[in-house]
Amino acid sequence: MKVLVTGTAGFIGYHTALRLIERGDEVVGIDNINDYYDVRLKFGRLKECGIDPEKAVLWNKEVQSGCYPKYRFLRLDLADRQGTADLFERETFQRVIHLAAQAGVRYSLVNPHAYIDSNITGTLNILEGCRHNGVEHLVYASSSSVYGLNETMPFSTSDSVDHPVSLYAATKKSNELMAHSYSKLYNLPTTGLRFFTVYGPWGRPDMALFLFTKAILENKPIDVFNNGEMSRDFTYVDDIVEGILRVLDNPPEPDKQWSGACPSPASSPAPYKIYNIGNSSPVRLMDFIEAIEAALGKKAQKNYLPLQKGDVPVTWADTSDLEKSFGYKPATPVKEGIERFVEWYRKFYGE
């Protein structure tokens, strides 16, 4: 297939594009390479895919991979309405994986406009591109953050998600609503994936695993929020990508059992579906830290802090729908995933 992957200089986007390329799909990757975190890491991911960083820095200039004949990259901001429309018209994609977004819960407290530009305007431009160019299936990234104030565990796609606690979460909820309207109005098959905490090699520097590893190696204290009383549904990136590809290959059908008298939030009489994608096995933050210490062979200095605004103490994914539909079952133990990350980190940073 010919697939557009947005956010290919990002963590999940990089791994997803690579898997698609390796299985033989033609891939066009786009990213705006913003400076939310160290761009050297973003250019490093592109370089792993054979994209010359000196060429990738140029706006709206297509770069052919030096390693993979079926991979091309374009630096493009999805808020660029005309540029995005031109890309869709020029390439005639069969399927789209939309992973580009302004990420981070805490950052949304200080720079809210970035989330509207990227997550709302950018997603609208993707939906319009799909609508006008016959895209067969749009798979897009939502987030476990949409569960907000929900306290029922595990989080289920049958739950209401009307009480987000950050603007980031609100934009992801909005993306789901926007996708549904396009599925209903234009018969565009869309699938939203609510990602839980994803980790692994080439991960984001603002995520716990990266922050903790860096601080421990530099003999600096780590910030442990909510005094360590937190759990996360940590999911290794390879397992996430496996789920994305299984979903991509199977566009949703209208749910014939759906009833407006008792509406399911996760399906529709339109070709629309929402899934949780996670490990379905929460890990205590303190156990996670102990696994990092074991992989590094070094103890952490801990700075205990209260729960931060916009954060929730627990995430836990009910992935039974994804398992039932696609046989999806994450296979990477946290200990093994952390060891792989630490191995990559030491190699990349020469630690």
Side-chain angles (χ1 to χ4, degrees):
M1 295 183 292
K2 188 174 187 179
V3 184
L4 169 65
V5 181
T6 73
T8 47
F11 173 36
I12 302 174
Y14 154 71
H15 285 279
T16 301
L18 202 54
R19 279 285 300 278
L20 288 166
I21 297 162
E22 289 171 347
R23 79 173 194 174
D25 292 316
E26 181 181 354
V27 177
V28 175
I30 63 174
D31 202 293
N32 68 358
I33 319 180
N34 67 27
D35 61 358
Y36 169 61
Y37 60 78
D38 189 353
V39 295
R40 291 175 298 175
L41 187 58
K42 298 182 179 186
F43 284 120
R45 295 180 186 124
L46 291 172
K47 189 175 181 180
E48 286 290 301
C49 291
I51 302 298
D52 184 345
E54 292 186 4
K55 295 179 180 177
V57 75
L58 302 174
W59 288 95
N60 297 309
K61 299 292 183 183
E62 186 180 286
V63 183
Q64 173 66 51
S65 168
C67 301
Y68 302 102
K70 290 188 175 183
Y71 182 50
R72 291 171 286 136
F73 175 79
L74 185 72
R75 187 179 188 187
L76 176 69
D77 194 320
L78 289 178
D80 178 352
R81 179 177 172 183
Q82 190 59 53
T84 305
D86 291 344
L87 172 70
F88 271 89
E89 185 175 356
R90 182 170 69 246
E91 295 289 351
T92 60
F93 301 109
Q94 290 169 274
R95 306 201 177 174
V96 174
I97 302 176
H98 176 39
L99 302 173
Q102 178 56 60
V105 169
R106 293 168 194 150
Y107 186 62
S108 68
L109 302 178
V110 297
N111 191 1
H113 291 91
Y115 292 77
I116 302 302
D117 294 341
S118 181
N119 301 4
I120 301 297
T121 302
T123 296
L124 175 61
N125 290 337
I126 287 291
L127 286 165
E128 280 287 282
C130 292
R131 166 198 173 191
H132 289 293
N133 295 279
V135 169
E136 300 168 2
H137 188 195
L138 166 64
V139 177
Y140 62 94
S142 185
S143 168
S144 62
S145 297
V146 301
Y147 288 105
L149 293 177
N150 283 25
E151 294 182 359
T152 303
M153 298 290 167
F155 292 149
S156 169
T157 54
S158 64
D159 295 337
S160 167
V161 288
D162 292 332
H163 298 90
V165 293
S166 70
L167 182 66
Y168 169 70
T171 64
K172 288 301 185 178
K173 163 74 170 176
S174 300
N175 290 165
E176 296 179 1
L177 297 173
M178 294 162 70
H180 183 267
S181 67
Y182 272 68
S183 293
K184 188 69 175 71
L185 288 169
Y186 309 115
N187 203 38
L188 170 65
T190 68
T191 303
L193 296 175
R194 291 175 179 167
F195 292 122
F196 283 66
T197 308
V198 186
Y199 73 99
W202 295 99
R204 284 184 8 224
D206 61 326
M207 299 294 283
L209 178 54
F210 202 111
L211 290 168
F212 291 169
T213 298
K214 183 175 187 293
I216 294 170
L217 286 172
E218 294 176 355
N219 296 310
K220 295 178 180 178
I222 63 173
D223 290 337
V224 182
F225 294 106
N226 205 37
N227 297 306
E229 295 300 317
M230 298 181 74
S231 296
R232 288 289 182 267
D233 201 314
F234 293 103
T235 315
Y236 190 66
V237 66
D238 288 356
D239 293 328
I240 289 288
V241 173
E242 178 63 28
I244 292 172
L245 266 56
R246 292 190 188 195
V247 168
L248 179 72
D249 293 339
N250 295 277
E253 298 285 344
D255 182 357
K256 296 179 180 178
Q257 306 301 316
W258 195 91
S259 168
C262 186
S264 165
S267 63
S268 170
Y272 168 89
K273 189 68 178 174
I274 296 290
Y275 292 104
N276 285 334
I277 182 166
N279 204 39
S280 196
S281 181
V283 176
R284 290 179 62 251
L285 180 58
M286 299 309 295
D287 293 337
F288 192 71
I289 293 171
E290 286 181 8
I292 300 171
E293 291 172 330
L296 292 172
K298 194 172 184 180
K299 286 290 184 180
Q301 306 169 46
K302 302 175 184 70
N303 180 30
Y304 292 98
L305 296 169
L307 188 68
Q308 296 290 284
K309 284 185 177 181
D311 273 355
V312 294
V314 180
T315 62
W316 180 2
D318 177 354
T319 59
S320 56
D321 284 351
L322 201 61
E323 185 175 355
K324 181 180 178 182
S325 297
F326 306 107
Y328 173 78
K329 194 77 174 174
T332 310
V334 167
K335 180 178 180 292
E336 181 180 328
I338 288 175
E339 288 173 350
R340 292 180 189 174
F341 172 83
V342 168
E343 181 182 0
W344 165 81
Y345 186 95
R346 289 185 185 278
K347 181 178 179 182
F348 187 77
Y349 289 100
E351 296 284 354

